[in-house]
Amino acid sequence: HRAKEYIYTGRTFKIDEAKEIGLVNRVFASKDELIDGAVKTLQKIEKNSPFAVGMAKKVLNTLLAGKCL
């Protein structure tokens, strides 16, 4: 229930701590590195079936909205 504590208290994090506890996946040193990292992630996603990606998005969005499947 750590996430609830963070949300309710509005606690802020330094980037190293945010990465350590899993709030961010990666940290980039520059805007260019960030864009390159985003493009590489998109290229990995694009290799998957559009149907599979779409269904994964639907399931995650449904769960995040607190609805049952």
Side-chain angles (χ1 to χ4, degrees), residues 15-60:
I15 194 64
D16 291 338
E17 183 183 5
K19 186 171 188 269
E20 183 179 312
I21 64 174
L23 289 178
V24 297
N25 295 330
R26 287 176 277 168
V27 177
F28 300 95
S30 69
K31 181 179 176 181
D32 289 339
E33 287 183 24
L34 169 65
I35 291 170
D36 185 54
V39 168
K40 287 179 181 176
T41 299
L42 177 60
Q43 289 169 338
K44 289 178 184 177
I45 293 169
E46 287 179 326
K47 290 180 182 179
N48 296 320
S49 154
F51 177 77
V53 173
M55 290 305 295
K57 285 176 61 176
K58 185 173 183 169
V59 167
L60 291 172

